[in-house]
Amino acid sequence: MQCAVLLSRNIILFISTLKVVAPRPSSSRLARRFGSGNLTFSAKMETNLEIESAFRGLIDTNKIVIFSKTTCPFCKKVKNIFNQLQENYHALELDNYPAEKTSQMQDVLKDMTGQRTVPNVFINKQHVGGCTDTEQALADGTLFDRLEGTFNTYDYDYIVIGGGSGGLASAKEASSYGRKVACCDLVLPSPQGTSWGLGGTCVNVGCIPKKLMHKAALMGEDIEDSAYFGWTTDNKRHSWEEMVTNIQDYIKSLNFKYRTDLKKKEVTYYNAYAKFVDKHTLNLYNKEGNFMKTITGQNFLLAMGCRPVYPDFPGARDLCISSDDVFSLKEPPGKTLIIGASYIALETAGFLVGLGFDVTVMVRSILLRGFDQDIANKIGETLEAHGVKFVPKHVPESVTKNGENLLVRAKSLSDGSEYIDTFKTVFLAIGREPCTTGIGLENLNVKFQESSTRIEVNEFSQTSVRNIFAVGDVVEEKLQLTPVAIQAGKLLAKRLYGKGKALFDYNHVPTTVFTPLEYGCVGYSEEDAMKKFPDQIEVYHLHFQPLEWDLNKRNKNKSYGKLICLKSEQERVVGFHYLGPNAGEITQGFALALKLGAKKDDFNNLIGIHPTCAEIFTTMTITKASGKPAEAGGC
Ligand code: FAD
Ligand code: NDP
């Protein structure tokens, strides 16, 4: 039986229904799967030209055409993709024809597309490619644009909002796969007017200046200790101004490096504040808030990071400073009150006291919420031993000018009594809030975590809007750390554009608190381990005195190590905690052991490096449960 089909190019083709090669699932599914104008090809067509005309007819009259073979597993994969997307497709099974005809048709496909193999996929009259290309288009979202007919209509493949740790890493990675990438970054000044260059929080007002100031403070200790090693160091004096100038100069060199890096990687940099118009369009504004231009993108990355929280009490915004300001203060901070008791508060207290300032920390509840509390309290004790004063269970009520100083009034949460003192500087470290409001995300239905402005993402870092992704500090309940933002940003770009499959592993992320006695940890805190694995936990621990501090008994007996082991899994180590010098360096290495599933026996069988602090983890025998004193012996 023969019938005629009128194709868009007005070519009349005679086809044999016997030769129809569209897949034949149940007839009810046929209607759903196949677009209009199927039955467009005849085995009787002799010339390549005739075949090409027929192919073009198919392509012109069907949204999706798959040139396929019934036995080809990649063709099945491709069809599965469209089935799952509930998209109708027309499949022409080339192997339903005599072998020489199949080969001729593949020659024609080669002429038309440069690709001889199947599957050979077309969407909206455009050639997509084979299975890998279709999978890639699904991964990077262009498949949806092809289906919607908006493919290749955007200025950029990938627009990153936020030139910090996560944003820069992701933009550069995406660009390395040949994608057209833009990165928008603009720093809004702090309430005190502090602003900075490209690179985000870590480089400008976070990890980098913090670690350098921490080092400056430790050097002060080293100078004191040096007398025990025979040095005479007269005139121990520290210049805040010189330290700040040198650190800021260094940061400026990094800002410059980030800009040239983007240029080298061919990422277009906009020093602009971005706001969404719709899910593919941004309006850009300069630092004065004036409109600059509109740009469009296929995919977006939200990597806007966080900024310090300012409470409502009088004087908070206009008289207090935060981590946005402290690292570039022109004048020494003098007598300082720090409000807050987590990472930022305690690290800042540590370096300020180490540099010789009078420091008080006002604590609302506990130190270092979320960390092993046994160790958090030891950190508190050493800070106190270094001269930091603590005002426990108090919250501030007001800060007012008092001549050159600031008068602070606070309330005790225990008995309601009033606390009053004067300071030169009041430093707020009560948390950080994501920069996710006022940029149009609400209108796009990007979902936020309940009762917060942190963005909800799935395991692929994808928000509730298909082409918008998020990494770093803006993301719900993930660890707010630079390497976390970088890794999440890179992996995302690899998945989108580099055929990567790996997801971020949020387990076993190591971290260090850079207080004078540094604290590194990875895995569970003792409290969390007890909760997660009731009756299954064995804790090994040891107090020790680092050799380098033994002559003068610095931080006497405060250094400490703890391994939390899971009895039900042959004492697999699920928590590592170290309080002592060089905590970051030591924890980094042991984190790998935990990631690889090391057991307590593996630690026992490891030969220590003598004389080091890290070697205590190879010789721990005392369990907490035994109640025995946990003091390290000699060599
Ligand atoms: P960010 O690095 O904050 O970058 C976001 C960028 O986006 C910023 O430049 C911002 O101005 C810009 N932006 C925001 N909105 C827009 C918009 N609409 N348009 C254009 N641009 C916009 N982590 C560690 O791992 N180790 C440490 O020792 C450490 N110490 C820290 C110390 C301090 C004091 C602080 C504050 C943080 C510290 N952190 C540390 C945390 C670390 O800095 C952050 O986790 C990391 O910088 C987050 O990177 P991000 O890419 O998410 O955002
Ligand atoms: P956190 O959210 O970790 O801690 C906030 C602190 O402020 C808590 O002690 C909290 O007390 C207290 N607080 C909150 N609200 C008030 C209030 N209204 N009045 C008084 N106290 C209050 O914030 P941070 O700013 O310390 O750090 C933010 C993030 O930055 C960290 O989570 C970390 O990931 C990252 N960071 C990492 C560092 C590193 O890797 N070394 C260093 C510094 C920061 P309470 O416990 O009672 O809630």
Side-chain angles (χ1 to χ4, degrees):
M1 193 179 84
Q2 289 192 325
C3 64
V5 175
L6 182 65
L7 297 178
S8 60
R9 291 176 174 190
N10 295 327
I11 301 167
I12 303 217
L13 292 174
F14 292 94
I15 59 165
S16 157
T17 49
L18 291 174
K19 295 293 179 191
V20 167
V21 289
R24 294 176 191 194
S26 69
S27 55
S28 60
R29 290 179 70 196
L30 277 175
R32 183 172 68 73
R33 285 252 202 103
F34 301 143
S36 59
N38 50 339
L39 313 190
T40 54
F41 186 71
S42 162
K44 289 182 184 163
M45 283 181 283
E46 296 294 337
T47 67
N48 282 9
L49 202 65
E50 278 177 314
I51 293 174
E52 184 174 341
S53 289
F55 281 2
R56 295 232 179 263
L58 270 184
I59 292 163
D60 283 349
T61 51
N62 291 280
K63 185 172 167 189
I64 302 167
V65 176
I66 305 169
F67 295 94
S68 166
K69 283 186 185 171
T70 53
T71 53
C72 158
F74 299 105
C75 301
K76 285 198 182 102
K77 257 185 166 181
V78 156
K79 288 172 200 166
N80 256 340
I81 290 177
F82 292 111
N83 285 340
Q84 275 169 16
L85 296 175
Q86 302 207 327
E87 286 286 344
N88 300 329
Y89 58 82
H90 186 117
L92 187 70
E93 305 294 354
L94 305 189
D95 58 343
N96 280 353
Y97 295 84
E100 71 280 7
K101 191 57 84 187
T102 305
S103 175
Q104 189 188 0
M105 290 191 282
Q106 287 191 263
D107 289 343
V108 170
L109 281 175
K110 174 92 196 301
D111 284 347
M112 288 169 67
T113 66
Q115 178 195 334
R116 196 173 187 282
T117 52
V118 292
N120 202 319
V121 180
F122 287 77
I123 299 175
N124 278 323
K125 304 186 184 62
Q126 286 179 322
H127 182 234
V128 177
C131 179
T132 314
D133 303 301
T134 311
E135 285 178 328
Q136 178 59 50
L138 178 68
D140 67 25
T142 48
L143 193 68
F144 300 95
D145 296 312
R146 287 180 181 277
L147 291 168
E148 286 161 16
T150 53
F151 179 60
N152 256 347
T153 58
Y154 304 115
D155 299 331
Y156 296 98
D157 295 320
Y158 192 49
I159 300 183
V160 173
I161 310 179
S165 309
L168 290 177
S170 198
K172 288 188 278 189
E173 185 73 24
S175 173
S176 73
Y177 301 112
R179 297 306 177 124
K180 202 173 171 202
V181 182
C183 177
C184 316
D185 185 75
L186 190 126
V187 180
L188 299 178
S190 74
Q192 294 298 323
T194 315
S195 183
W196 51 89
L198 182 63
T201 303
C202 171
V203 176
N204 294 284
V205 287
C207 333
I208 300 297
K210 181 277 303 291
K211 181 84 188 288
L212 292 173
M213 290 200 179
H214 170 65
K215 172 69 182 164
L218 293 185
M219 278 172 167
E221 294 186 350
D222 284 347
I223 294 168
E224 275 170 21
D225 293 354
S226 68
Y228 289 86
F229 295 82
W231 292 96
T232 309
T233 46
D234 303 326
N235 276 339
K236 184 189 162 204
R237 208 180 48 79
H238 180 260
S239 163
W240 173 270
E241 293 85 346
E242 206 161 324
M243 175 187 72
V244 167
T245 304
N246 289 336
I247 290 176
Q248 288 302 319
D249 285 350
Y250 173 63
I251 290 173
K252 284 194 185 81
S253 76
L254 294 180
N255 298 147
F256 180 73
K257 180 182 166 295
Y258 286 119
R259 279 182 89 128
T260 46
D261 263 8
L262 284 184
K263 210 169 190 172
K264 263 193 232 153
K265 295 270 158 91
E266 297 184 358
V267 174
T268 306
Y269 166 56
Y270 292 103
N271 183 207
Y273 195 76
K275 291 186 185 185
F276 279 93
V277 178
D278 61 45
K279 67 176 186 166
H280 287 291
T281 313
L282 290 181
N283 275 346
L284 303 186
Y285 300 85
N286 66 14
K287 63 177 188 299
E288 286 79 33
N290 299 324
F291 174 77
M292 287 165 64
K293 69 184 289 187
T294 297
I295 55 173
T296 57
Q298 194 241 326
N299 285 323
F300 289 83
L301 176 63
L302 308 176
M304 296 88 66
C306 285
R307 294 296 287 269
V309 170
Y310 283 81
D312 292 335
F313 64 76
R317 289 190 80 81
D318 46 332
L319 298 176
C320 300
I321 64 163
S322 71
S323 56
D324 280 358
D325 312 295
V326 72
F327 303 111
S328 55
L329 277 185
K330 295 261 178 307
E331 285 181 17
K335 183 182 172 190
T336 302
L337 173 69
I338 295 176
I339 299 169
S342 200
Y343 266 111
I344 296 179
L346 299 192
E347 289 184 343
T348 308
F351 70 70
L352 288 184
V353 84
L355 296 173
F357 298 104
D358 180 331
V359 179
T360 303
V361 177
M362 187 172 285
V363 184
R364 178 169 74 173
S365 56
I366 55 171
L367 301 185
L368 289 171
R369 181 177 298 286
F371 284 89
D372 191 289
Q373 282 301 296
D374 182 15
I375 297 199
N377 292 330
K378 288 185 200 302
I379 291 175
E381 287 164 21
T382 29
L383 277 170
E384 224 160 11
H386 277 72
V388 173
K389 287 163 265 182
F390 283 93
V391 183
K393 304 252 179 305
H394 274 71
V395 285
E397 299 219 295
S398 70
V399 177
T400 47
K401 270 256 183 217
N402 184 10
E404 287 296 290
N405 289 321
L406 299 171
L407 182 76
V408 176
R409 289 176 192 277
K411 191 175 81 183
S412 161
L413 294 174
S414 317
D415 59 13
S417 60
E418 193 179 44
Y419 164 97
I420 305 182
D421 203 349
T422 52
F423 297 89
K424 177 155 184 247
T425 301
V426 178
F427 177 93
L428 295 171
I430 62 163
R432 294 171 58 77
E433 59 193 354
C435 306
T436 53
T437 51
I439 60 165
L441 292 174
E442 306 80 2
N443 309 333
L444 305 181
N445 288 326
V446 169
K447 271 207 190 129
F448 293 99
Q449 191 192 7
E450 211 181 312
S451 71
S452 113
T453 50
R454 271 181 215 286
I455 294 168
E456 236 179 70
V457 287
N458 61 18
E459 62 195 312
F460 304 102
S461 300
Q462 188 176 35
T463 70
S464 51
V465 177
R466 184 186 46 72
N467 68 320
I468 302 181
F469 299 81
V471 297
D473 285 4
V474 291
V475 162
E476 52 159 343
E477 277 183 2
K478 303 286 189 265
L479 296 150
Q480 293 175 40
L481 297 170
T482 287
V484 171
I486 292 176
Q487 178 79 339
K490 272 193 186 166
L491 288 179
L492 169 65
K494 273 191 211 286
R495 284 195 303 272
L496 284 174
Y497 304 118
K499 303 192 174 91
K501 294 271 182 282
L503 300 176
F504 194 101
D505 176 9
Y506 283 96
N507 293 317
H508 300 119
V509 175
T511 185
T512 289
V513 184
F514 293 97
T515 36
L517 190 59
E518 296 175 356
Y519 167 42
C521 62
V522 54
Y524 288 95
S525 67
E526 197 175 327
E527 297 86 348
D528 287 352
M530 297 283 188
K531 253 188 247 154
K532 173 98 182 166
F533 312 104
D535 304 325
Q536 287 304 317
I537 293 299
E538 189 78 87
V539 177
Y540 293 85
H541 68 155
L542 199 64
H543 290 276
F544 67 101
Q545 185 66 11
L547 176 65
E548 50 269 51
W549 291 343
D550 227 3
L551 294 194
N552 62 333
K553 309 287 181 237
R554 174 171 294 285
N555 299 317
K556 188 162 185 292
N557 250 356
K558 291 292 180 207
S559 290
Y560 182 64
K562 174 150 93 175
L563 290 178
I564 298 169
C565 306
L566 193 52
K567 286 193 269 190
S568 54
E569 291 184 28
Q570 295 166 299
E571 297 203 316
R572 179 165 67 86
V573 181
V574 294
F576 171 98
H577 301 267
Y578 166 87
L579 193 58
N582 307 311
E585 313 299 335
I586 288 172
T587 309
Q588 185 73 77
F590 280 113
L592 183 62
L594 264 71
K595 205 170 167 70
L596 296 177
K599 309 218 161 63
K600 178 66 172 63
D601 246 358
D602 296 315
F603 279 71
N604 298 343
N605 292 331
L606 181 69
I607 304 299
I609 299 173
H610 190 65
T612 63
C613 294
E615 71 177 314
I616 59 149
F617 290 102
T618 65
T619 57
M620 274 185 183
T621 52
I622 299 159
T623 62
K624 256 195 164 176
S626 73
K628 291 184 187 157
E631 309 301 333
C635 315

